[in-house]
Structure formats: structure tokens, C-alpha cells
């Protein structure tokens, strides 16, 4: 932490700040500039909120020096983490493709989609049984019935399953069916839920909140890691900005930024990141070109009949083309699909 | 809903769209412009996602005409709703003041704060027992012990209590202690939690998410209302923008916008809305001048020792000044405190 | 400036950085923390971009300590500046009201508006002759003819004039007619234009860009001040955010923040800040309650016929009510209108 | 345009709106829904601001149906435009690489950079002579001297030149030296400048404003096109969002969105789009994978000595690697560099 004193801070205020820092168990390091004094706070600053210091007389602001996350940081874990799920490795050289419908709607819809994405080369099947929806009047998912259908598709097509969990009390149930527990964007700071999945021994796919910074995403991962679950996969899925031409703004920069800050695998969701099926393939190609360890894509046999997210779902034939495109881009940068 | 066809849409595409609309049980109303055809969809469009129509060939975009919320709308409930809590009325002529510490930290801290805010004229005591925190390493609240202390302060000072609930499984417990259940900004779209408080017969203070639109806030209220709980109080608490000089940007426009769209009471939280105690009083005055039905303010006997939100907490003397200021502004616009 | 070295920076990298700092003419102050070294750069850092240092091996980031503005800062000019224009003082105890049409459209329209705003108590007449418009197909203003009409209204009603200048080559011309030169939001970082008005001896009303930070606004003021013109009035007019219910989000926090950072007067534009006439009066009241030194409001005798900004223009009767409201709020906080 | 009437609009208000529409020369098409009436406005709505209609009694809102741009739209110009500059074609199958220093600093610096980017395969040399800078205390460019150096580098290396023009009065001068006139992000809505370059017969590279929507970018292009200059190249260069980990958020979605809306070529600037040199190559690869017609990249022989934008400038060796990477990605999607 560095504390910047005000231009007109008195010697007494500066001395008081130094005393307070030392009383907290830190060492203080005073540096007198031409216009302002600054005080370095030496020690593990992570549990301290920088704004704490701004309450003291004569203080202008306090600036965090260390990243607030530690378990997620490359500082202490420089090599890439690889998350292994039933033979699929996320975070290695291979670019992983997860695909399937937004919501599980029926046995027929799910099995048809699973067959198609398997044939096209997907490694993991996605599908929602518990759906967080903005409107109370919209389809909320099949719940347990959806989980059972996912289990059936998993067994028939030998595809691991990723599905969302939305409430702490459902975590044990969902973990009985899912190979990967998904935390959706709107729950990225549902700390009770993060703690609950942190207690499980199942991989977690943690999606960035649409209003969350990269640092907050890493702090959410830190919640899960600090509860003992080390198998966390991050996912960029678009953020909210002033631009309204697309549902979200896919933050392509976040991919190389995350790869530099953390050892955790980083995936990309071009379906939510754009909100329009025509944009999914170019943005999927871009995400892989930028270094994503995988993509997760919504596919539906008949998007016009989908009960959710139809507009951003690909038809099976378009998805097969996407996989072919992404494979060529992956190879161009020395990776495989 | 209005569906805008592409410039080059064929007669067949237009006809197909009309057929589909009618097959969904709506009436279709075709209007042929000079450059584009548009089709009106007549009926209750609320459960339908406009983007559904964008999947059909020849469609450029679809535009919602009705607000997606109904129970929260003034259209069907033109007069103001007043939420009554143990003698306090929120949404009437009186501007209500809720105040107290961010977190309940100890018996002494809470009772000292409660005495001070009562003396200064506050109507409701706030205090957090379950705290959603960005860092897993930060103070997470006293939990049940905090609720018990709130009960003690309530009985001693005859102040109703507002406190946050963060998880569906805690709702029944918190409702035994609280007079008002608070849904925090990060849980505004925790739909499982909204449904749970919708089942209770307790007033709910629903804070706007830091990156949620006004419409999404009203849809979150609609969740609670549609589950049967009619006593919802909205609260503007600042949104996330590109500006970093303040923790959040208090959206003053939202106050008159909400008052025009909904019959529900609208409060303001200038503490979170600014993040700096020096800004709390001017922004509290502004919120009341703009028409807020109340304010909720963080107060701490010694902010420098607060375990959370110290930088935005007022000392008791400053809070008393805030109440005096706000009272004069309220009177200037024909209201009382 | 404070330079934060990487976790794994070598002694050689740290030494190299210190040498470079000293070679630039600064003093370097090394502080070795537990996880990272930090180096203080002592001297006038203002001309240096912090990112400059991030290019050196072993550097994680560099953080500016001083505000990049100096002439605009309260550090060296603690007392409020008052800008005097023909008997009107902006920045003193009185809250100043500027009002008039968005665009000068005709002699009749301008004189009718001027009479009305004068009668209601406005101190300055606004009106645009050169209009920056998003569409090349929209009305672009009357130009010189508009300036002449403003001159006529000025003389007839004894109201100083504020009008916008959009191009460096027009500055001399506009200054012959205007009492205050307005720099619009879209030109806040038109540095050639800022330099040009900085050469004039006329007050400048500098509007915040719709996506400019408070610091950037103060840097734009610094351009004008550093070219020799000390009479700068700042104006908050709403920023662009994700919220689409209003045209802009009026940043009420910016008013007390600016008043604390700078000695320059701070006005508010609730017309652009909201974009809807129904919201102008509540937000005007709020701006004054928050400490604004004045407001600037769009008024039109018949908004439905306005060639620009009709939707946010008040009719004369509504404007008179606004002035009455604002006066009561000003008095409630110890000021006058 | 579609006009949505309020829930409680009277027959008189609806009739009045229809009359007004017809009086404006449009046809009106009334459609009575279950909860609201809507009125279609048939005719060329482009010069009309939708908000105009919101001033009439009983109107809730008005929605534009047509894109406000016409010359830039694919509707009337479905095939791609190719801009030809001295043998370089932008907008065809080849992906064009423009590169060079942010600012021209000296003859030696420019020629060394020009030699390096030519050797690496760049097609156009960039370099700033007139520099818009946030701080009045920062290097403002060499002006005319810079233009002369660019001319020398152009002749020596047979590279067309792109350089920025910041003020209408400089356009003729800059056009004597430049092959492509650049409009920078901060001037995207400097309408006087857009009009001035619209009068020239030189290609224009128009950068998206950091706060501008895709629609506003196309309206800025429309200014240039409507003044007679058809050779406009668009450039995505990152937008401002709440994320602070990078200088800007590169809007990758904008590339395929622009390619679908307009026939104009679309380039990408990963240097400004990220602000950090380590991120430039992955984001350049992503932009090409998403369909960009070219990239523009900052290169400096010694970024640590650069007078501007050093942190985002690549060294020549890194730039050569970028070109090699981008070539492989371009080939993977069936294009060349």
C-alpha cells in the first residue's frame, strides 16, 4: 500500500499516519516529495481496504500495490494449471469446444443437439436445467428433469456435462449430475454460492459478470480456491458498455490479460459475448486467435423454437463450420482443437 | 412488438413472418413503408423475447412496445404505493431516513450508533449481519449474533430494523429479526433469492445493481411482486461507469424516472452512491431535491475503525448535520422529514 | 510517481530503473516490500506519462501521485475563483441561471424566449448559432446571422450572451458577439480549439465531454488556463453510461468532487444531463442542492417546433416554475438565485 | 419511425398525432394494440429526430426504423468498397498493414522505423506530425517539419503515408503531404473537420471515438461521404468502459457488425485498443480472425525513449513477428497479407 498525503498535510498528520500503520503491525516507509509526502506500508496488505487510510486527517488517497488475489495469481504459481475432466484437459495445448443448447427443453431436443455437437467435434456438452431469467414470466428451466436428461445424453454420447447451478442449496444435487459446475455471469459475486462450490471436488466454470472487472473475476476465483477447490476455469462472456448494437461487448483484451495474471485456464463464450448468431463464428475465431483455451457455444437444432437464447444459438451445420474455422485458426497459432 | 423487415426482404419472407405471428396467437398488422415493411404484433407480448423474431429470414430487428414489467408499472396502478412498517410510512409525503453502520461489529458499536441516529432523527436502523464482500479475506459479518444485536437495538430504541439477506436458505431466519429485508446490489438479479423474499410477508428494500438498468430493477421488483409480496421499496445506490473519481456514479436521473414509471417508493443511498463521506451530505440533499422518498446512510461512531465501508461512513455529528440539511431541502419542495 | 516492480524483478532490474530515474533528473527512493520493491520518483512528474516506466524490464506498473493539472488545482489556489461578466458573478454565493433556446432559429423565436427567461429571472441568455449535429442532414445553425440576432437580444434585454464556438477559425468572430464562449461536450478535447479560446480575454464555459473523466475535464481547463485565459467556468452535463432510459446520466457526484479539486466555478446543465424536459426541474433542484454555482437550461416558446433539442426544452411557464423551485432550494442551503 | 402512444392516451391525442404526421408530409399508419396504440410514420424519416414526437401529448416514445445513415449503408451499396491508394487496396481480399511511430520525433527515428516496417512487410507508413495530447504540457508534435520528414520517408521507402489532421485550417496543408488523412478518435465528432476532409479528394482513415457508438461512427462517415469524398476507411480502436486493466476495451464485435452494416473497409488499431505492447499481437491476430481488412500498429525503434505512446509501441523485431503471426491467421481464413 502507498499512502499519498495531501499537499498541505502537517508534520503531525504525517507522524500520526506512520504511528497508525505501525500499530496495525506493518512497517511504514516515509518518502518526502516536493509537493507531497508518500508513505509505503510494508507487509501483507491484502486483507486491508485502501480506503481505510483515507479516513485519517491529511490523507489524500491510498493505493494498493499487491494484487488482492493470491491463490489465483501467477506470482506464486507461474506455470499454467490444467483442469482435467474425464479425459478432457482444459488449459493445455488443445483448444476445447463446449457446446449445446442454452436450456434443456426436451429429451428429443437435447439428444439431437448432443449428437450434432459430438459429430462436429465438441468435447463437452453444455445445457441449462436451472435458468436465471430476467423476467419472472420467462421459462425457468426443467430443473431436476433437465439434469436427468443431461445424464442420459452424457452416457449416450460420452460427453462430459457442464451445467449451471444458481443457489447454494442446489449445489450437491447438481454436482451429482454435472462434470463441471457452471457459475453464471449474474452469480459471479454470489459469494454464498462461490463458497458452496468451493467446498466441492468438481471443476467450476466461472463466468465473468457482465459488470465485473478482471480483478473482480479473479477475486471470485479466489473465493472458490480459498475454500479448497483448485479446479477453476475462467470464462470471458462479454461486458456491458454503452454500445447497444450488440447484447454485450466481448472483451477480447481480457483473454491475454487474464493469461498473464493467472495460471487458471481461460475460455470464451462468443454466444453471450455477442448475442447474435451471425457474430458468433467471427468472434469465436478471434477468441482463439487471442489465446483462449477453449470456447463455449450455444447450439440448437431449431433456434427459432428455442425457449431461451435462440437469437444467439447456431444451427448444427453452422456450428460444424465454426469448429472447422476455429481449428484452422488454432493451427495457425500452433495449437490444436 | 414491432418487427422491422430488412430492406430487401421478399414478399414470401414478410408473409412467413405474418403467419408465424398468427400461429403464436397474436394478431399481425403489416405496414409497408418506402424502404422497409414493419409488422405490428398485437397481444400480450411480455413473455416473448423480441430477439425471438430476429431469427426469421428477412427480419432486421424486433422492438418491444410494452414495458416488460406489469405489477410494478404505473399503467395499472397510477397512485403511489405507501409501504408501512411499524408506524413508519415509506412513499408518502414524509422523507424517511434510515441510518446505521455498514456492518454490526459489536454490541457497543451498534448501540452507540443506534442512540446517535435516533437522536438525530432517523426513522429506521440499518446494519449488516451477513455481508457480501469482494474479498474472501475480508470481514464477512457476525451472522446470527449480528441479528440478535439488531434485535436488542430495535427494542431499546424503538427503531425498525433493515438488514440484508444474501442467500435463500437464510430468508426465514433473517425475517424473524428484521422489519425490512434488504436485497443488496450484487444480489439484485439473484432470482432464487428474489423468489424467496417474494414468498414472505415482510417489506423488501431492493437495491439497484451497480450495472443494472432501471428496467432491470423494475423486473427484479416484478419477481418479488409476482410471488405475492407487494411491499417493495426501490433504492438507487449508484452505478458503475467509466468515472473513477468516485466509487460509483449516483444516478440522480433515476429518481424522477422511477417515480414516473412505477408506483413503488424510491429511496436513495448516497453512501454507496459516492463512496466518500465528504460527498454523502451534498448527494443526500440532491436526492431529496430530486424527489426521493427517503435516504439510507452509513453512520459509524469511529469510521477509521470500521470493519467495512469506513470511508463512506459519517460520524454521528456529521450525520446530525445531514439530517438538518435534508430537512430544509425537503421543506423547500413541500415535504417533511 | 511510484513505480511498482514485478514480484520476480531482479536486483539488476531494480538498479537499472533507479539509474534511469536519476538520469531523467529526478531523485529515486527505493522501498523494499515483502513481495515487491517500489520506487518513488521525486520531482515534478507532471510532464511524464506513468506508462513510460512500464517499458523497462521488471516494472509492473507506475502510478501518478500528483494531479496532472496544476493551474486548475486548489492546491496552489485554495480560494474560489469568481468569474465576472458584465455584472454577473459566477462562483460566488449567488446561483446563476443561464437559459435560452438550444439553437437560434429566428428573430421572433429568440426575442420571445429572451423576454420570457428575463422575466423569469435568468441572468444570462444562451443560444446556439454554430451547432455541432450528429447527422449531416440536421439543422446546422444560422451561423453569423444567429450571432447578430443574439446581439440584438442582448441589447434589448440587457442579458449577457453565452454561445458555442466549434472551430478555431471562428473564435475571433464569435468573441465579437458573445460575452461567454461555450466549448461543447464533443469539443472538450478539441485541443486546437481549447488553445484558441485560451488566447482570448473572454470567459469560457467548458462543458464536460460525455465520456470524459473529471480529471480530463480539469486537463481541458488546464489547456485554456495555460494559454493565459483565467476565466474558465466548468459545466457538468451528463455522461454516457449503459443506462438508456435517459439520454445521458447526470453525474451529480461530479459537482462536490469538482468543488473540492478546483477553484473554478462549476455549473450544471440538467437539459442535456437528462434529455427529457420532465426531468429537467428535479435534476436542476438536485444540482443546486449538491452545490452547483449555476444552471444552464434550454427554453423554447414551442418545443414541438424546435429545430434541435425540443424534447429537453422547457416552455416558458415551466421554466418560471423551475426558477422558483431552484430559488427555494438555494435558500435552503444558504445561497440566493 | 414508429410512435408509441401512452397507455392512457385519448382518441383526441392519437388523432392529433396523426394530423401532425400528415402535416409534416408523411403518411401515418395507426395500429391499435390491446394496451397501446402505435402509429407508423411512412416516408424518409432520416432528417427527423425521433424525440421530436415525444413532445406531443399522449406520446410515450418514438422509435427510428431506418438507419440514420444512407451513403454508408449496405442497403443501397451492397458490394464492398475498395479504397485504392498508390497501389495499395484496402477492403479487398488482402489484409493491409499500416505501421510506424506514434509521433514523428526526428529524421533518424522515422527513417529507421520506416526501414524496419517496410522490411517486415507493412504496406503503409503511419506517423503523427500534429498530435492531440490530453496534457498541455506534453509533446505536441513537430508540425510541418514532421510532414516533411514523412515525405522523405515516403519517397525513400515507397510507402504511402497516413497522418493525422486535427484542425480544419490544416487540411489543405496536410493533404499535400499525406496519402491518407487520418481523423483521430477525439475528433470523430469534430464536424467542422469532417466537412473539411469531405471536400478533399484524398482517402480518409476515420477512427472510432472512444465514446462513440457504431452508429455514430457511421454517421461521422456519412458527413465525409455527403460532402463528396467517397474514400473512407473505418477503424475500430477500442472504447472506454468500466474496465481499467487496459487503456481501452477493443470492441472485437464491432468488426463483423460494421462489415454487415456498411460497404466501407474496416481496419483495427490494436495499439490504442489495448494500450500495452504485450497485448498488441494477440489482439491484432484476433482482429484479423474476426474479419478486419487491415491493422494499424505503432512501432518505435526504442519505445522507452518515445515521446508519446511508448508503452503500446512494438520494437521492430516484435513487429516482424506480429506480421508473421497475422499472415498465418489471415491465411487460415482464406485471406492474404
Amino acid at each position: 500500500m502507498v499512502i499519498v498525503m495531501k499537499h498541505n498535510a502537517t508534520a503531525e498528520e504525517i507522524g500520526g499516519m506512520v504511528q497508525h500503520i505501525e500499530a496495525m503491525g506493518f512497517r511504514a516507509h516515509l518518502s518526502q516529495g516536493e509537493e507531497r509526502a508518500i508513505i509505503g506500508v510494508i507487509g501483507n496488505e491484502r486483507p486491508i481496504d485502501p480506503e481505510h487510510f483515507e479516513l485519517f486527517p491529511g490523507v489524500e488517497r491510498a493505493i494498493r500495490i499487491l494484487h488482492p488475489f493470491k491463490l489465483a495469481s501467477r506470482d506464486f504459481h507461474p506455470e499454467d494449471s490444467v483442469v482435467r475432466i474425464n479425459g478432457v484437459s482444459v488449459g493445455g495445448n488443445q483448444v476445447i469446444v463446449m457446446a449445446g443448447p442454452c436450456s434443456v427443453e426436451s429429451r428429443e431436443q437435447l439428444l439431437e443437439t448432443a449428437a450434432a455437437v459430438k459429430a462436429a467435434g465438441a468435447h463437452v456438452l453444455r445445457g441449462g436445467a436451472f435458468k436465471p431469467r430476467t423476467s419472472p414470466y420467462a421459462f425457468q428451466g426443467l430443473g431436476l428433469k433437465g439434469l436427468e436428461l443431461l445424464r442420459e445424453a452424457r452416457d449416450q454420447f460420452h460427453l462430459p456435462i457442464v451445467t449451471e447451478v444458481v443457489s447454494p442449496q442446489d449445489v450437491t444435487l447438481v454436482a451429482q449430475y454435472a462434470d463441471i459446475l457452471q457459475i453464471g455471469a449474474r452469480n459471479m459475486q454470489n459469494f454464498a454460492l462461490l463458497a458452496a462450490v468451493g467446498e466441492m471436488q468438481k471443476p467450476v466454470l466461472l463466468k465473468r459478470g457482465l459488470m465485473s472487472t478482471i480483478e473482480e473475476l479473479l477475486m471470485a476465483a479466489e473465493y472458490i480456491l480459498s475454500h479448497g477447490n483448485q479446479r477453476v476455469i475462467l470464462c470471458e462472456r462479454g461486458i456491458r458498455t454503452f454500445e447497444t448494437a450488440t447484447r454485450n461487448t466481448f472483451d477480447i483484451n481480457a483473454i491475454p490479460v487474464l493469461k498473464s495474471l493467472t495460471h487458471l485456464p481461460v475460455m470464451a463464450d462468443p454466444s453471450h459475448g455477442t448475442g447474435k448468431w451471425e457474430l458468433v463464428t467471427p468472434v469465436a475465431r478471434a477468441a482463439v486467435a487471442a489465446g483462449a483455451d477453449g470456447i463455449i457455444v450455444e447450439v440448437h437444432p431449431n433456434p427459432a423454437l428455442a425457449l431461451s437464447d435462440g437469437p444467439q444459438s447456431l444451427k448444427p451445420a453452422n456450428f460444424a463450420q465454426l469448429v472447422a474455422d476455429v481449428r484452422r485458426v488454432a493451427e495457425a497459432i500452433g495449437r490444436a482443437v
Side-chain angles (χ1 to χ4, degrees), chain A residues 128-175:
Chain A
F130 295 93
K131 298 299 305 171
R133 301 302 299 277
T134 306
S135 168
Y137 308 125
F139 174 62
Q140 311 271 321
L142 294 182
L144 177 57
K145 174 71 183 163
L147 296 178
E148 287 168 352
L149 293 172
L150 286 166
R151 163 69 57 85
E152 183 180 345
R154 176 184 189 273
D155 292 345
Q156 185 171 339
F157 296 101
H158 304 291
L159 284 168
I161 296 294
V162 56
T163 195
E164 183 166 355
V165 56
V166 298
S167 194
Q169 66 261 51
D170 298 335
V171 168
T172 308
L173 175 71
V174 176

Side-chain angles (χ1 to χ4, degrees), chain A residues 3 35 41 44 62 66 72 78 181 211 219 258 269 271 278 288:
Chain A
I3 296 169
E35 297 185 21
V41 178
N44 177 14
L66 303 182
L181 297 168
M211 56 185 178
M219 288 307 285
L258 282 167
D269 176 349
S271 303
E278 307 95 306
V288 171

